[in-house]
Amino acid sequence: MHTTKALAEANRLMTVCNSCRYCEGLCAVFPAMEMRRSFADGDLNYLANLCHSCGGCYIDCQFTAPHEFDVNVPRTLAIVRSESYAAHVWPQAMSGVFRRNGLVISLLTAATISAFFIGMMLVHSSGGMFRAYADADGSFYALMPHNVMAGVFTAVSAVAALAMVLSIRNFWRAAGTSLPIAMAPADIWQAIRDAATMRYLEGGGQGCYEDEAVGTDNRRFYHHLTFYGFMLCFASTSVATSYHYLLGMEAPYPWYDLPVVLGTIGGIGLLIGPVGLLLAKKKRDPMVQDDSFRGMEVGFIVMLFLTSLTGLALMLMRETAAMGVLLALHLGIVAALFLTMPYGKFMHGLYRFTALVRYSAERRLHM
Ligand code: SF4
Ligand code: SF4
């Protein structure tokens, strides 16, 4: 017995595919499937998170509708994957957030922007909020002291990190129900290489299928821009924090300094990548997609785009009277992004990585 309709359907499909095995060279899903004779919920959630939704197995399959087997692996695994985030989330009370993700993100973003705006207005009044700080080189700390900013975001990050770690622990444990394995450092290294190149988004070398039966590398390219853009922005913040605490160098930094260079390149990647992903999503064949979590999918991409847009605008206009409003907007959006990370699409990256670690260990031990 499976706990959801999608899991029952995934079980049926994996049983068909396990007899057929025509697609075994396309991605990691099919070799992982072949190591099993039956599929518990944990196995199916694991297989769904190995799937990168390239559509290759739908294009190649001879058993799609109108065949009576009605095989559609990408769409079924997409539903299972989205539902798996809610199934493993910590705390469980937050599981409903995934289905109403777009609404939750919108309301929370409005609340956090308002909180930063009102907080700064209370301290500085409109005279301080709407004036240029050219005399302070456009330093954000003229409006919000560094310690307050660092304290708020350390607390927000700690809450989000705790929820993410405990959610991944739940996922890892459930995935190992029918095929227990012991992980080795080499498995993590292999998973890092597979994730860094997004190896399984290439559909066995043919690319990812969009609106026609021709594979392209578009989704992989925009995923790379988004992922590396995010990592560069993270690196920029980390370097700036080291400058502040280790070297005693306070922001703002000149345009050629490392935090600004990393943040600018990352920010541009985070503008182009999300737009490309949204366009690619619009073009994709609806037959291989699942629309029931559209708010979660689109909400996260839009939040990444807005984070970058407000961050770059803030950097360019920091010495103008717009700095106060832009700072409240940017900090509010980043806080909402961090707070919703464990309860939205961001988790797909962490679950995929965890599934890749597991796959690497399974291959090492059982193939
Ligand atoms: S998707 Fe179709 S062709 Fe591929 S293994 Fe499954 S049943 Fe066979
Ligand atoms: S990654 Fe591509 S080929 Fe593999 S199961 Fe998913 S859609 Fe099919």
Side-chain angles (χ1 to χ4, degrees), residues 36 92 99 115 165 168 182-183 228 261 287 297 331 333:
R36 291 159 166 80
Q92 256 303 299
R99 281 227 179 256
V165 167
I168 292 165
M183 177 180 61
Y228 288 110
V261 172
M287 279 308 287
E297 308 244 341
L331 295 180
I333 289 167

Side-chain angles (χ1 to χ4, degrees), residues 167-286:
S167 301
I168 292 165
R169 183 203 58 174
N170 292 344
F171 175 71
W172 177 266
R173 283 182 179 168
T177 321
S178 43
L179 197 61
I181 45 133
M183 177 180 61
D187 302 323
I188 298 175
W189 177 235
Q190 181 61 49
I192 290 173
R193 287 167 54 192
D194 292 343
T197 54
M198 288 175 200
R199 179 175 170 188
Y200 297 112
L201 203 54
E202 65 175 17
Q206 307 160 73
C208 191
Y209 291 89
E210 290 183 351
D211 52 344
E212 292 165 6
V214 180
T216 77
D217 257 343
N218 286 352
R219 272 184 77 222
R220 197 177 183 201
F221 174 69
Y222 292 121
H223 260 97
H224 272 134
L225 280 181
T226 306
F227 174 71
Y228 288 110
F230 182 86
M231 294 308 280
L232 285 175
C233 290
F234 183 72
S236 163
T237 308
S238 305
V239 173
T241 305
S242 307
Y243 274 17
H244 188 94
Y245 288 110
L246 300 180
L247 304 178
M249 292 163 60
E250 236 181 55
Y253 307 109
W255 67 267
Y256 50 80
D257 214 336
L258 200 53
V260 183
V261 172
L262 291 173
T264 305
I265 298 172
I268 292 169
L270 262 188
L271 282 183
I272 302 170
V275 171
L277 286 176
L278 282 175
L279 292 176
K281 184 173 282 299
K282 213 166 160 233
K283 275 173 71 181
R284 292 203 83 198
D285 182 350

